[in-house]
């Protein structure tokens, strides 16, 4: 780092973020103002707004932070494990470990994030960086596994896996079992079932249905649509890593 | 009706229920007390409690009412249409028609019902009558269609279809398009995709996966578990309408 001020500004940013999370937890998200966050963090209101343009941006900062910690924590699994089910279970349960300190916050915060049109929704344009990173992680789960994924599903599976992870997060928000152990078991079972589904995709007749399920979500969930469009562009790019023959074959199987 | 008092008491019950729905909508569910509902309906508090033991019971009354209106409205479709996709689309879009007047209430009420442990959740023991009726309707959707459903999936498909209907309801809660037209299109597309999935179930190899998906939900969602257990009992009953040979065949396909 050549910029001497970077660590200091990073510290201030972290201080504001941590203060905000604490206040959200203590007072509720709706009742916490930027003014109160600035005061509690010992910075000026202008300074707080310099780092985070709104309370919503603070939550995005929180998402990014959880995402970065998650990625660092799963790195050993992604770099060494080759069993698909273990890779996926590792990614899901590690997320639960990372998010555990924020469980209480998540449940009171949920009603703000559940609305797909809220900037705090995992489907919002604002959440795109966090979402893309998480989808990319699922792509790596598949890419590094010894179980092979059909080329015609390679672009849709990571998004469907991310979507089912969002289902897991929803379950976790309301899970009151000690240490979220029910959600942990659901993650293990979900990883097992996903793996069995992917193994079954060796039957070509199934693949168009998987693509259609993805298309349905992409057409009706804003964030998914965006990613799907950029994927479609990639798919029609002749340099892209895509097997059009497999796709045509899948379409033929549908018609039979 | 031999009891002369029944119509009057039914009127009072309806009056209390309608008053409660109006107040929930105007003041919010959390802020509306039973006392305020009784006062507004012009009945004594004791009388209101006689009909509904709590605010939660009022919401159950609302669910039952929507369910009964839905069943009456889909009767013509269930009695005459034989195309599976049209039967399912009819059931889903008719529900949207019936629920339309309560759309605003549903979105402010959502945070209470989203918690699976809340008595207002569609998965709660309190919601069992409404849930059973809705699952039964999906059973009838399948039973009256010319597309044949494999015997080994006959017990799990209606519950999975009901579960995806709950997903549709969740989507509808947050849908701000005029006349919920986005949810309507999702219902049509969902019916199409479900039908295609059921048609694909002619491939035996797929069926165990469908059963496992159902088992996962049954093990982790309280209301589903309950129904699954009673179904399992029915299945092990030698007099029950169940094809054990098909089940064994499915299991063999899994192992292959």
């Amino acid at each position: 780092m050549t910029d001497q001020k970077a660590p200091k500004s990073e510290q201030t940013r972290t201080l504001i973020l941590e203060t905000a999370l604490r206040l959200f937890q203590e007072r509720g998200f709706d009742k916490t103002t930027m003014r109160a966050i600035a005061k509690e963090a010992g910075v000026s209101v202008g300074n707080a707004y310099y780092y985070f343009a709104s309370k919503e941006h603070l939550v995005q900062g929180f998402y990014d932070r959880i995402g970065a910690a998650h990625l660092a924590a799963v790195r050993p699994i992604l770099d060494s494990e080759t069993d698909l089910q273990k890779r996926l279970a590792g990614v899901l349960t590690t997320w639960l470990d990372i998010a555990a300190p924020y469980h209480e916050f998540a449940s009171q915060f949920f009603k703000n994030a559940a609305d797909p049109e809220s900037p705090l929704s995992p489907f919002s344009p604002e959440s795109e960086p966090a979402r893309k990173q998480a989808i990319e992680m699922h792509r790596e789960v598949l890419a590094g596994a010894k179980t092979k994924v059909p080329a015609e599903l390679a672009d849709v599976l990571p998004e469907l896996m991310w979507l089912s992870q969002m289902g897991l997060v929803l379950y976790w928000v309301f899970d009151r079992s000690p240490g979220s152990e029910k959600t942990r078991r659901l993650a293990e079972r979900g990883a097992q079932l996903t793996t069995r589904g992917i193994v079954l995709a060796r039957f070509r007749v199934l693949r168009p249905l998987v693509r259609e399920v993805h298309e349905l979500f992409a057409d009706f969930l804003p964030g998914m649509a965006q990613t799907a469009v950029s994927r479609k562009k990639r798919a029609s790019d002749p340099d892209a890593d895509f097997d059009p023959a497999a796709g045509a074959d899948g379409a033929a199987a549908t018609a039979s």
Side-chain angles (χ1 to χ4, degrees), chain A residues 16 22 36 40 58 81 111 141 154 158 161 163 165 190 195 200 205 220 226 231 248:
Chain A
I16 294 168
R22 181 165 56 78
E40 193 75 13
L58 274 160
E81 181 60 62
K111 74 175 161 60
V141 164
M161 288 158 76
L163 195 63
Q165 189 189 347
T195 303
L200 273 182
V205 72
F220 286 89
Q226 214 168 22
R231 291 274 141 200

Side-chain angles (χ1 to χ4, degrees), chain A residues 35 64 72-73 78 88 94 149 165 167 169 171 180 182 238 242:
Chain A
R35 182 169 296 274
D64 293 344
L78 293 178
L88 180 52
T94 303
V149 173
Q165 189 189 347
V169 171
Y171 192 86
S180 303
K182 272 175 77 178
F242 188 79

